[in-house]
Amino acid sequence: MKITCLADLADAARCRRLVVKVGSSLLVGKDGVRRGWLEGLVAEIAAARARGQEVIVVSSGAIALGAAKLGLDKGGRGSLADAQAAAAVGQIALSGLWAELLGAHGLTAAQLLLTLEDLEDRRRYLNATATLTRLLDAGAVPVINENDSVATQEIRFGDNDRLAARVAQAAQANAVLLLSDVDGLFDRNPAEPGARLLPEVRGVTAEVHAMATGGSSSGMGSGGMTSKLQAAEIAERAGIALAIASGLHDAPIARATTQAIGTLFLPKRKDAGRKAWLGGRLRLKGALVIDAGAARALGKGSSLLAAGVVRVEGEFQRGDAVAIRSEGGETLAHGLAEYDALECARLMGRNSAEHGELLGYAPRSAVVHRDQLVLL
Ligand code: GLU
């Protein structure tokens, strides 16, 4: 049974496993933790559990909480060093809070601090999957955040929206609910007169991206609509529904699911395990730029042959994940390269019959095999 509307997110038969992401501005107000609100949300999580749903929480707020304790300005986001220090302090309070409030409902919280690389590396991703599965089987509620104190600038999520989508993939969840300080996606800047909340989005197209109006409105988190749409793209390819709804109200899950106030991004297709992971990869080691003929062939399910490659970018090894792009710059696919970057450069534009001689050893059947390739 598929998820087709917001109400389905509260239906245990359609949504057995739900990821709920809570933004910083919801958790932390001017006077510190918004405890009363959080107690209400935790009661909703307990209710979801009671109706047979498994819930994973992705909680922001470590940086905001830690910054307040350390007296750092700009909410602890003035520099990477500030954010890392703030997160180290705030995470203790944050996980303690979740453990305490979930505990009051007889639920056990389990903390997982993940980095981007934990989910980009296939082996570590599978390890995270195993841990999450075991925790859920054991009846715990995983509470996840990025490990901000060790993640460095270039290799961090930086926002918990995409982290939530990747966690949902790893946990094979049915849906993600991003609770934010906005009602959902509007067809233009919500501050403009006549802006309309979109109840449903089928496919995050360029037109949909154009509706996003940039940074976080609260200035506290780092999310904003752009990262939410990227999260929706990851989810939609993995067969996972994703909803954006406002957490500014009490009982926000009920508001989204019973009053249908929010935006639901419907899944496009269901790539299985390895392909979903590959499609959702955020950092790639390089790129293969291909001609129109090769692009057509990929669309029909073929492997990528060297003859259709016109440019090789980056320094990647055999087995690394690369982007496959059109000459116009559009990312068409992600795939695992069968050759390293130098070999790809040597073979590009050349027919398979010449490959053995060019390489000096027996060639592989393709530059990226179709089993290791996912169209975006
Ligand atoms: N991981 C950050 C924190 O705990 C939040 C990232 C975000 O704003 O999405 O403060």
Side-chain angles (χ1 to χ4, degrees), residues 5 71 89-91 107 162 168 175 182 187 195 212-213 219 223 229 268 296 299 304 315 317 333 340-341 354:
C5 62
V89 171
Q91 187 60 38
L107 295 170
R162 292 176 304 159
V182 288
D187 61 353
T213 49
L229 293 183
K268 265 205 304 215
R296 271 196 302 279
L304 175 62
E315 283 172 28
Q317 303 298 316
D340 67 28
E354 305 168 77

Side-chain angles (χ1 to χ4, degrees), residues 24 60-63 77 145 148 158-160 221-222:
S24 300
S60 302
I63 296 174
R77 291 171 192 269
N145 198 357
D148 291 303
D159 66 84
N160 277 1
S222 53

